[in-house]
């Protein structure tokens, strides 16, 4: 699969987290709706569509009997600014009881803001699934140094052409998978060459 898997709001855990995101944003006066969920091996990305910032005014008119009637009229509506959502990152992490969250604003090619929440249980990524993906096959057709890197936040396969890289730096904290990545690159090169 080389596209992010779009999930419907199924499953209690994911559905509950989507509701918590909407409620937390609403409690801070930010209208937003979760419209897409991409489940990856280590994080779940919630696609949030910003709502509208509405301004209202009170209009008083006299009716036929001479009594004053009051109604609320919408004066203007503008899209919620993305920085209002990004500034609430710590508050969203608290509402979701997550150690940290990452906000991708906006998601490339889409009119949504991505909120990435770490999964409680990490999934495993098999090298075979990435090697057999369409993303790697497209690169392999053009280059002998196609390498499988893993899966992205949305569960999509990530591959690259080693020949087009000016350099390759693999960095990360202890236990983050640097050696596994290097072994995967070596295995991928051995399989194809």
């Amino acid at each position: 699969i080389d596209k992010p898997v779009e999930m419907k709001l199924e499953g209690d855990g994911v559905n509950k987290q989507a509701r918590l995101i909407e409620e937390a944003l609403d409690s801070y006066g930010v209208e937003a709706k979760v419209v897409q969920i991409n489940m990856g091996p280590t994080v779940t990305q919630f696609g949030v569509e910003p709502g509208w910032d509405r301004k209202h005014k009170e209009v008083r008119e006299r009716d036929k009997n001479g009594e004053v009637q009051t109604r609320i009229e919408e004066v203007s509506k503008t899209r919620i600014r993305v920085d209002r959502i990004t500034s609430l990152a710590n508050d969203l992490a608290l509402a979701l009881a997550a150690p940290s969250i990452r906000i991708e604003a906006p998601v490339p090619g889409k009119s949504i803001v991505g909120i990435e929440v770490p999964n409680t249980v990490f999934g495993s990524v098999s090298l075979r699934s990435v090697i057999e993906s369409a993303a790697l096959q497209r690169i392999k057709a053009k280059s002998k140094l196609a390498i499988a890197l893993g899966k992205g936040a949305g569960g999509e396969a990530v591959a690259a052409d080693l020949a087009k890289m000016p350099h390759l730096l693999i960095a990360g904290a202890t236990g983050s998978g640097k050696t596994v990545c290097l072994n995967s690159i070596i295995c991928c090169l051995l399989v194809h060459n």
Side-chain angles (χ1 to χ4, degrees):
I1 300 173
D2 71 331
K3 287 190 213 172
V5 179
E6 292 188 26
M7 305 280 298
K8 293 182 181 174
L9 294 179
E10 297 174 344
D12 291 336
V14 175
N15 193 10
K16 182 180 175 187
Q17 284 184 321
R19 277 196 320 272
L20 283 172
I21 289 171
E22 289 176 354
E23 290 170 5
L25 289 171
D26 190 45
S27 70
Y28 290 104
V30 176
E31 180 186 314
K33 183 165 178 49
V34 175
V35 294
Q36 180 180 354
I37 299 174
N38 299 324
M39 294 186 69
T42 57
V43 296
T44 300
Q45 183 185 59
F46 295 90
V48 176
E49 183 178 58
W52 298 94
D53 195 7
R54 294 176 168 84
K55 294 198 177 148
H56 298 88
K57 75 175 184 178
E58 196 173 281
V59 178
R60 294 181 183 195
E61 297 175 336
R62 291 195 183 270
D63 62 2
K64 295 176 187 176
N65 301 331
E67 295 177 18
V68 177
Q69 299 291 325
T70 305
R71 64 182 169 87
I72 305 294
E73 186 177 285
E74 189 175 289
V75 177
S76 68
K77 74 177 191 179
T78 56
R79 240 337 153 187
I80 297 282
R81 292 175 52 106
V82 173
D83 63 345
R84 284 183 58 192
I85 296 173
T86 57
S87 66
L88 296 171
N90 292 335
D91 299 305
L92 285 171
L94 181 66
L96 295 168
S100 66
I101 63 169
R102 179 177 168 265
I103 297 182
E104 184 178 19
V107 173
K110 298 181 181 176
S111 61
I112 57 175
V113 175
I115 299 175
E116 295 177 359
V117 181
N119 295 338
T120 52
V121 177
F122 296 151
S124 61
V125 177
S126 69
L127 182 61
R128 181 179 185 153
S129 68
V130 182
I131 288 177
E132 291 176 347
S133 71
L136 185 81
Q137 297 306 317
R138 279 193 302 269
I139 296 171
K140 193 178 117 182
K142 298 175 188 173
S143 173
K144 291 198 177 280
L145 296 178
I147 56 173
L149 296 174
K151 289 196 177 180
E156 73 281 0
V158 179
D161 183 4
L162 190 60
K164 290 188 178 180
M165 294 182 185
H167 63 275
L168 175 64
L169 173 68
I170 301 172
T174 304
S176 62
K178 298 180 296 295
T179 306
V180 172
C181 179
L182 194 57
N183 288 337
S184 298
I185 290 171
I186 293 168
C187 287
C188 194
L189 291 173
L190 286 172
V191 165
H192 293 118
N193 300 305

